[in-house]
Structure formats: C-alpha cells, structure tokens
Amino acid sequence: MLVRWTWRDFRRHWVAVVVIAMVIGIGTGVFAGLGSTGTWRRLSNDASFDALEMHDLRIALSPGTFADEGQLEALVRSIEHPELVEKTNERLHIATQVDASTADETIFVAGRLVGLDPDRGPDILWVDEGRAPEPDTGVLEVKFANAFDLPSEGTVELAGGETLAYHGLGSLPTDFYVSGERGDLLAQFNFAVLYTDLGTAQRLADRPGAVNDAVIGLVDGADRTAVQHELEDVLASGSGFSATITTRDEDEAFRIVYADIESDQRFWNVLSGLVLGSAALAAFNLISRVVESQRREIGVGMALGAPAARLAIRPLLIGLQTAVLGCLIGIGVGVLVGAAMRSLLLDLVPLPVWRTPFQFGRYAQAAALGLIVPITSAAVPVVRAIRVEPIDAIRTGHLAARRTPATLRRVRVPGASLNQMPLRNFLRTPRRTMLTALGVGAAITALVAVLGMLDSFGRTIEIGDDETSQEHPDRITASLDTIHPVDGAVPAAVREVAGVDHVDLGMQFPATISAGPDEIEVLVEAIDFDRARWTPTLTSGSITGTGNEIVLAKDAAGSLGVSVGDTISVTHPARESATAYSLRTTEVVVASLHPNPLRIFAYIDLSTADRFGLAGLTNVAQVFPAAGVDRAEVERTLFEMSGVASAQPVARTREVFEDAIDQFTAFLVITEVAVLTLASLIAFNSTRITLDERTREHATMLAFGTPVRSVLATIIKEGVLVGAVATVIGIIGGYATLSWIINVLFAQTLPDLDVVTYVSLTTLSVAIVIGLVAVALAPVVMTRRLTRMNLPDTLRVVE
Amino acid sequence: MQEPSIETMAQLGADVVGPGSVVSLRDVSKRYEVGETIVTALETFDLDVAAGTFVVILGPSGSGKTTLLNLIGALDTVTDGTVRLSGRDVSNASRPERAAVRRGTVSFIFQTFNLFPGLTALENVEFGADVAKRADATTRARAALDEVGLGARLDHFPHQLSGGEQQRVAVARALASGNPVLLADEPTGELDVATGKQILELLVAYAGEGTTVLVVTHNREIARIADRVIELSSGRIVSDGAPVGGPVAVADLQW
Ligand SMILES: Nc1ncnc2c1ncn2[C@@H]1O[C@H](COP(=O)(O)OP(=O)(O)OP(=O)(O)O)[C@@H](O)[C@H]1O
Ligand SMILES: [Mg+2]
C-alpha cells in the first residue's frame, strides 16, 4: 500500500519534484562543474611543465653581457657535483621591438627574441600550431598571437628592420605567463616573444656565437637549492661572468600560473557556492511547501494513533525522490558546465597538455549536498507536524495565522472582497510567504551578483578607457629605447614626424611606493601638468608645484591606506651621472587621486621630477596626430624611427582591459545561463505551488461564478506582492554579494585592477522581470488549470 | 471574452419552459468512469421545481444528492439529458456561460463550507453579494450575518470560528447574493438543534419571499418543513411530493 500511495504522491507532485530536482541539479551541477577547473588547471600545468621538461635551474647573465656557446655548459660542468646535472641548454635572449601589424591593425610592441635548440630540453619549445623553428624562420608566442588574432603563419619586423617569417605559434614553459615592466595586466598584450634556432637569433642580433642564458635539468631527486649554491660558488670564484641563478620555483611564470589557479578557484568557489546556496534555499522552500500540504494527513494519522515514523515516510519519500532525481540532473548539468568550462579553458589558456579528468570527489560533495538538502527540507515540516498536537496539525490555517498581528491581518485595501484576497493571503501565512520570497530572492541574488560582475567589468573598462582617452582618443604613446635628454635628437625627431600635431614628453619609471608596512609597485610618469595636452583627471586635491607631490590611483591610495595630504615614500631611480642611475627613496605628499582603475599608474609633475633627480629627461612621448591624419600612419613612422621602442595607441587600453578579464567574462556567461534558468524555474515552480495551495479557494470562487480572469487577477496580484518582496531581497542581496566579491575577493584575484561595483539598468530589469513579471505572470501560463478545473470534484474533497 | 448576460439568456429560454419552473431536468443521466468501472450517479432523471419552493432532497449516502445539486447549480455537465435553470439550457453550456448563469442565478452552501481563509466573516459574505453584482454589498453582508446570528463576529477569520459558525457564514454568504436559487448541501450538519432551526427558519422565510431553496440532508425530520420532499436511491427518484400531513413550522421540529 505504501508503494501505491507513494506512486500516487509522485503522480500528483511530479512536476514539482522534477522542477525542484532541476533546481538542485543546476545548483550542484554548477558547483561540481565550476569546482573542477582548479584541479584541471593544476593537473594540466603539472603535465605541461613535465612534458616540456621545465628547467630546475636557470642561469641568466646580467643584461648586456654574453658568453660564447659552450662556456655556460662548461661552467655548469665545473660545479662540485656535476653528476647531479642531467642536461644543460644554452640560449640567447635579446630584447627587441616587434612590428606584427596586419592589414587591419597596427601592432608595434616591445618584445624578445629567443634563440634556442628547438628539439632539446630543458624548456622544450612547445609548438601549438604550425612548425618548429627552422633556420631563418621563427615561432611566435601563442598568447600574444591569440590576443591580436594573428594567423599561425606570417611575417614580423624586428628592431633594425630585419624581417622574420614565422610558421607556427608556441611557447616556452617560462612564457606560460608573460610579464613585462608595465605591470602584469598589460604585458600579455604588449609583449611579443619570437623563438628561433640559436643561429638565426645570433645572426638577427648580430652576435655570432653568443649566448646569455642557460637552463639546467637535474637528475631525479637532486636538491635544486644545493646545486644553485654550487653554481653560485663557481660563478663567484673568478668565472668572469655576472649572472643570476634561479630555481624553478622562483620562475615568475611558474609561480604565477599556480598562484593564479588558487585565486581563480576561490572566485569560482564563491560563485558556485552562491548558485548552490540559492538553489538549496529555493529547494528547501519548495519541498517544504509540497510536503506541508500533507501536514493535515499527518495530523489525522496522529489523531488516529498511527506511529509517527510511518506517517513520516511518505513525505520523506518525496524528499528522497527529489534528491535522487536532483543528483542525476546535477551530474548531467555538472558534465555540461564542466565541458563548457573545459572548452573555454582550452581556448583561453594555451597549454601543451590538458588533463581534465572527471572530478569524482567534487561531484561526490555536490551529490551529498544534493541529497541532504531535499531530504532535510522534507523532514523539517514533517517533524514540525509530528511535534505539534494532532489537532493543530489538522487545523493548519490556525497555526500559521497566529504569527501575524491581528490588526495587520485585517488591513483593508479599497475595493470589493475579491480585492482583499491577495494582500490577505500574503499576510495570512507570513512565514511561508517570506520563505517563498526568500527562495525566489536567493535566485535573484545570484543573478544580480553574476550579471553585476559583468556590468562591473564593463563599467571598469569604460572608466579606464575614458580616463586614458579623454578628449584625445587618437593619442599614441611612443616608448623611447632609452632615457634621452628632452632637448636630444630623438625627442626632436619625434616632434618632426609628419602628421603630428603635438607631442608631450614624459619620463616613465618603475617605482615602489610605501606607507608603513604596505608597499606596491607602480609606474610613475613625470608630466608637465601646466602644458601637457593629456594629464590625469584629478578627482580631489591639486598639483601646486611644491616639488614633492604625487598623483596616485584611487585604488593604490586605498591599498596603502593613505588619502590626499598624506605622505608616502617613493623608491625610484635617480640620475647619478650622465649614464648612471641609482635607487633612491624620496618622501612625497599624495597631492591628488586619479580615476584610472589600473592602480599601477602614478604621476608626478616636473618640479617633483626635478627633486627625484630626473629633470630634463624623457623616455616616453605622448603623440597627438593632427586632425584628419591616419593614426596608423603616424604609428608606423614613429615605430620605424631609431630611438623609438614601441608605439601604442591609447585606444588599445580598452582591449588590454578586456583581455585581462576575458577569462572571467567568458566563464561568467556560462554561470549566467545557469542562474537565469535557475531563477526562472524557481519563480515558475513557486507560483505553481501557490496555485496548488489555493486550488480550493479558486474552485469556490469559480463555483460562485467569478470569471476566470478575475480569479487570475487575484492570483497575479498575490504573485506581484511576493515577487516584489523577492525582487527587493534579491537586488539588495545581489548588490551586497557583488560588492563583497569585488571588494574582498577581487582585491586578491585582480589586485592591479580597481573593479568598480556597478549594477546596470539591464541587470536590474532582468531581476525585475524574473522576480516580478515571471512570478506574477507564471499563473497566466497556468490559466488552463483554472479553466479545466473539475469544480465538483475539487469542492467535494475535504483537503 | 464577452460573458453572455443573464437577462438575455433567461429571455431566450423563457418560451420553452413554463414561467413558474425555475429548475427543470429532462432525462438527465450522470455517469463517472473510473478506470474500468462506470459509476452511475444519476439515471434518466426528470425534475421540475417551481419558483419559491422549499425542496428537501433525502437519500442514503452515495445516492446522488450532491451530484444532483451540482447539475442544478450548473457546476457540472450532464452525461445525457437537459438541465434548464431559469429557462436557460445549461446542460452542455460552455464554462464561461455556466459561470455567468451561476453568478446571477444560484448560490451554494457547500457540505464543506469552503470559506476563504484569508477573508473575515464579513468579507466572506460580501463576496457572495459582490459576485452577484449587488451594489450595497457591505450592508447586505452585515444584514445576512445578523440573520444567521453572527452580527458580533464580523471581523473574525474562519479559523477563529467553530464549525457551526463557519457553516452559518457559508449560509450568510449564499443569502447575501440575493440569487433566486439557493442550493444547500447539509446546511445544518454541523449545527446544534437551536441554531439549526434558526438557519432553517431563515431558509423557509427566503423561500416564502420567492427564493427557490433546495436542501440536501440525511435528516428526515427536516423534510417535514419542506413544500416538497424528493427521495433518492441509487440515482433515481423513489418518492416525490409534499411531506405527509403537509409542511410544519420549523419550531415543531425535534432531533
Ligand atoms: N468524480 C467522481 N468520480 C467517480 N464517482 C463519483 C464522482 N463523484 C461522485 N461519484 C459517485 O457518484 C455517486 C453519487 O455521489 P454523490 O456525491 O452525489 O452522493 P451523495 O448522495 O451526495 O452522498 P453523501 O450523502 O455521502 O454526500 C457516488 O457513488 C459517488 O461515489
Ligand atoms: Mg453529498
């Protein structure tokens, strides 16, 4: 009998069970799917570094010094325990400029030419597309190529006008993450690496037979630090070379790709937790409402003296059905989300080896949650029904109503009796109403948070773009090859370039700013605030020319915990003689803040530059093309000039920003789809259950001849009330979650980028549509249930 | 969707049935199919009820009393035959048409009350007047509640009322509609003798003023006050006529 009864329960509730299972499935699936990426990336990085024989140690000769081929290898062989070294690979690294312009786009960037033996490890060159370097042809670094959508075959021009054809895209393990002197965010975009065989690099660099770098693979089990010390010893003991020796763990790319995984995973955990949390809350609400309808039966059973355990079984079975179905759907959704994440990862993160095994552990966690939530949700109302006096369980309305103050329950709105019903029903069972609103609200919270994140990214990009462009979107930043006097030949030549309307000379240098124990790296630019055509927007305070002023990004000041008027220390290069520079620390006052979300940018005026010992020097020119002149033409002329290292239009900042958050954006879209589905399902099912709960009242109204549309109107009005509360909860909750994610989580994940918390009108509209319109209009879809209702049967049944 | 108006429909059917016959059933059958079995609730049923009659329908459980009331009240459709309500054929009318007929013609007192839990007693009763489009809904509702002896419980919600009080609210709701046909399924089932009599007095009084009242009950005693007693068994009429010795006053009843 229990089986038949349960089967009947299932037939009665199957839509609810299936929809709640879908809600749970999406929650757990997103949790499992998003949760897998961290492990996948870690495994894939391990495998990739392994496959490419990532070096154990690396010798980098001091800039500008070289060794003859074989000398570094010999040096390695001369250490105390040469048997620990398995192989050594000598290479030549040359700084260069790269013109990778295509028909549509001018691309002039700083770069590096790496000459190596393409077939040897350690640090084997991975060729993703195309062929390994052959004499006189190269391989272009894949992330740079992807960023500009460059084809896998082409020609680039290097410093000195040499052209180099490349027949493939690839990367060294040490270039899995490219960082340059202008800050991590921009480097991937602004820095091109080209790999050739050693001979070709030597010829292009005009350094026949020279190398300046060696990577070393040790035998299994060798202690890297011990060998590092041995190497340092032989270097120091009259080798004639000055070099730095780093271990694999000190390699920046190696370190950052793993650190990146950690912080990215934390972000995904929060997001999937949010989705799972809202799904769980909604599922809890929905299931308890379905089970609540059996409370009366439990009461009757108790009154008849049936054992509590037997009465609890049926409702608990509803929970179990939902749980099992939810888990199955969850695995399906998880696999789908996982597959989407996987293909995005493969697309966005070029790696030679991908390992994306099914994450049993994560899925087991998700499945456990998927089982616990529905069963608990079913158990709570059952326990409540069993605990109360049977008589109260029978008279459910009585119990529920006690919680609203009587005066509130009698609130009258204008109009006839039918008009009273929505608000009354809303107030009659406040606990249930609030739970419903919370369930829908939780889904909207996740929705607002996810969509808000995309909005915030977009808004941040806009702010950054506005600030760098201002009234001059055509501005070109030309980096000079080295530091020149402002009245030198190179700056003069830049001013003379055809089609140039105006040139501002600046001096850009990396510096460390600190206040108390906190310090951050910045890129300071000395600008003539009085005359320059582009100056940063000063959001507070001003430059007065006192010679000790600095303008910081709002976020940089925030990170240091300083505000306008506070004093900070700047450690910066200062000129000692015509060619020699040393590091010096100067105290300056934060004179003002600028709104650029990239916190790396800082500015000083000429009087402060003077105090820094950098007066009259320039290494960067802000070039403003004349009206009507083709910007690309000016870029090309600038780039081809000797003394100019790169020429970048500031308009590209936007692309740089977009690239930085590309990965998040793409993945967020997956989450967005899940959350939208989730919210709609919850809204829909919530309304369906409300309709179930009110069937009898609707039947009575219809029996008295109330037209279907009037009954529908009361249902919709009640839906609007619940939906309005849910939407308010969702928007407030979503905004709070969003600002927590941005201010706490992103502060760690994207420390260089000051993401603003911003929720667009579109997002608000979507939230309102889901919360209000979907909840309120779902009954319209279910009009059939009213028009087809079997009135005699519905009215006959004692609920 | 334009709802047909009552007046028009009543006029349409006026020439078919004598003006005195408010309820008219011809060859009506109602069968339910439950899986393989067919349950016949009513079998080739004929019935005419004149306006202002107080009819009591008796019969054992399952004999088809509620089914009959549902058909008369245009809540349900027939399997065979014709049901006319105020002259209008409702036997196979569309749902909106039947709803419109009910709105202006019948009021129900359900076996299970079916009050709106969110509305107060007064508002529940107002609802009856509202659907029937009575202009002075609140006044009518107060009067009706006074009549059933609940004038002091206007602001109470159904769950704050006893079963009998809820029953009386349901009666008041039907009375407040002012519709010409009143259908009551066991209206005194939950009531003590005194209150039961009070309600019956009311129904009798309304019948005296021209309302056609059909009351379903198990209680043979109640049949004594009726103008006409119809007894059902297995979906057929087994007896029909005035109570033996003619109707007595409610005060003379005892159970
Ligand atoms: N929806 C239905 N499906 C199947 N059978 C039904 C349905 N509704 C009523 N019946 C059957 O029709 C018959 C008449 O039912 P009805 O409710 O009219 O009886 P009743 O005389 O009102 O009984 P009671 O005095 O117990 O209320 C019964 O046998 C009942 O089982
Ligand atoms: Mg009955």
Side-chain angles (χ1 to χ4, degrees), chain A residues 298-629:
Chain A
I298 295 179
V300 173
M302 299 266 296
L304 293 178
R310 238 185 62 200
L311 294 171
I313 282 186
R314 271 176 58 219
L316 287 183
L317 278 175
I318 295 185
L320 190 67
Q321 287 163 357
T322 318
V324 171
L325 198 58
C327 276
L328 292 179
I329 297 176
I331 291 174
V333 173
V335 170
L336 274 179
V337 172
M341 293 293 272
R342 185 180 175 279
S343 79
L344 266 176
L345 272 178
L346 263 63
D347 234 35
L348 290 171
V349 187
L351 274 187
V353 187
W354 274 103
R355 293 250 193 284
T356 55
F358 187 78
Q359 293 299 298
F360 285 102
R362 186 78 179 190
Y363 275 78
Q365 268 180 32
L369 276 163
L371 284 172
I372 291 168
V373 167
I375 293 174
T376 324
S377 331
V380 167
V382 170
V383 168
R384 286 208 338 217
I386 287 174
R387 273 220 318 251
V388 298
E389 289 298 310
I391 195 64
D392 283 335
I394 298 174
R395 298 177 68 184
T396 41
H398 183 65
L399 253 193
R402 271 205 298 238
R403 291 162 205 271
T404 328
T407 43
L408 200 60
R409 262 185 292 139
R410 291 201 182 85
V411 173
R412 256 193 95 96
V413 295
S417 50
L418 212 56
N419 270 2
Q420 312 301 325
M421 243 173 267
L423 185 61
R424 291 304 175 70
N425 282 338
F426 180 86
L427 292 174
R428 190 160 64 91
T429 50
R431 203 181 139 268
R432 192 164 61 182
T433 313
M434 274 322 282
L435 255 176
T436 308
L438 267 180
V440 178
I444 296 176
T445 297
L447 186 76
V448 170
V450 171
L451 294 187
M453 238 175 281
L454 293 168
D455 291 344
S456 301
F457 282 148
R459 183 84 194 107
T460 304
I461 291 174
E462 239 161 63
I463 294 174
D465 196 27
D466 284 355
E467 171 63 6
T468 34
S469 297
Q470 291 179 13
E471 269 79 63
H472 308 284
D474 272 346
R475 173 162 70 105
I476 300 166
T477 300
S479 304
L480 307 185
D481 58 350
T482 178
I483 298 171
H484 295 264
V486 286
D487 50 7
V490 171
V494 170
R495 285 187 211 277
E496 292 310 312
V497 168
V500 168
D501 178 37
H502 180 85
V503 172
D504 287 325
L505 296 176
M507 172 70 200
Q508 237 177 24
F509 54 94
T512 307
I513 57 175
S514 60
D518 304 316
E519 57 172 52
I520 48 180
E521 307 293 321
V522 291
L523 189 69
V524 183
E525 184 169 354
I527 291 184
D528 183 345
F529 271 83
D530 296 328
R531 258 175 298 240
R533 190 170 281 187
W534 183 92
T535 56
T537 308
L538 304 183
T539 55
S540 57
S542 60
I543 293 280
T544 50
T546 54
N548 65 340
E549 294 168 312
I550 192 165
V551 179
L552 296 182
K554 190 167 93 329
D555 190 41
S559 303
L560 288 185
V562 297
S563 43
V564 172
D566 290 345
T567 301
I568 60 169
S569 307
V570 183
T571 304
H572 59 91
R575 183 156 67 164
E576 296 295 333
S577 68
T579 53
Y581 292 83
S582 68
L583 281 184
R584 192 199 291 173
T585 300
T586 309
E587 303 262 291
V588 291
V589 171
V590 180
S592 179
L593 302 179
H594 68 78
N596 196 321
L598 280 176
R599 74 167 182 191
I600 192 165
F601 293 117
Y603 304 93
I604 54 174
D605 69 339
L606 293 185
S607 67
T608 309
D610 194 15
R611 196 158 148 254
F612 277 26
L614 296 168
L617 300 177
T618 179
N619 63 357
V620 61
Q622 306 295 348
V623 179
F624 299 84
V629 172

Side-chain angles (χ1 to χ4, degrees), chain A residues 395 397-398 401-402 406 409-412 415-418 420-421 424-425 428 696-709 786-798, chain B residues 1 3 32 66-67 70 75-76 95 99-100 102-103 106-108 110 112-120 122-124 126-128 130-131 138 155-161 166 173-174 177:
Chain A
R395 298 177 68 184
H398 183 65
R402 271 205 298 238
R409 262 185 292 139
R410 291 201 182 85
V411 173
R412 256 193 95 96
S417 50
L418 212 56
Q420 312 301 325
M421 243 173 267
R424 291 304 175 70
N425 282 338
R428 190 160 64 91
R696 221 177 148 68
E697 289 173 49
H698 299 151
T700 307
M701 291 185 213
L702 292 172
F704 272 84
T706 310
V708 168
R709 63 183 135 74
L786 287 177
T787 56
R788 296 281 164 90
M789 189 185 282
N790 185 333
L791 289 180
D793 285 2
T794 312
L795 289 165
R796 189 190 298 267
V797 176
V798 185
Chain B
M1 175 172 47
E3 304 249 353
Y32 298 101
T66 301
T67 306
N70 286 342
L75 261 191
D76 211 349
R95 278 169 174 269
R102 288 199 298 273
R103 209 153 49 228
V106 295
S107 299
F108 294 92
F110 296 105
T112 49
F113 324 147
N114 290 334
L115 296 180
F116 300 110
L119 300 187
T120 61
L122 181 66
E123 287 159 351
N124 263 289
E126 269 177 36
F127 172 83
D130 282 334
V131 249
T138 313
D155 285 339
H156 288 218
F157 286 96
H159 65 85
Q160 295 168 319
L161 300 172
Q166 292 183 37
R173 179 169 66 182
S177 74

Side-chain angles (χ1 to χ4, degrees), chain A residues 796, chain B residues 65-66 111 185 216:
Chain A
R796 189 190 298 267
Chain B
K65 304 183 295 294
T66 301
Q111 205 168 354
D185 206 344
V216 162

Side-chain angles (χ1 to χ4, degrees), chain A residues 681-761:
Chain A
L681 279 178
I682 293 172
F684 169 80
N685 209 29
S686 194
T687 312
R688 233 186 53 84
I689 295 175
T690 306
L691 267 175
D692 267 352
E693 288 165 351
R694 306 243 186 272
T695 307
R696 221 177 148 68
E697 289 173 49
H698 299 151
T700 307
M701 291 185 213
L702 292 172
F704 272 84
T706 310
V708 168
R709 63 183 135 74
S710 307
V711 178
L712 204 59
T714 62
I715 303 173
I716 291 176
K717 283 183 206 158
E718 193 181 333
V720 168
L721 284 175
V722 178
V725 175
T727 309
V728 170
I729 292 176
I731 290 175
I732 294 176
Y735 193 84
T737 311
L738 178 65
S739 55
W740 180 80
I741 290 177
I742 287 176
N743 295 320
V744 178
L745 209 61
F746 280 178
Q748 299 160 8
T749 312
L750 295 168
D752 297 323
L753 190 62
D754 177 20
V755 182
V756 292
T757 310
Y758 177 73
V759 175
S760 72
L761 260 169

Side-chain angles (χ1 to χ4, degrees), chain B residues 16 34 48-49 58 60 71 95 147 159 171 178-179 185 204 229 251:
Chain B
V16 186
V34 184
D48 280 288
V49 180
L58 286 175
L71 288 177
R95 278 169 174 269
E147 284 181 320
H159 65 85
V171 171
N179 279 345
D185 206 344
V204 169
V229 181

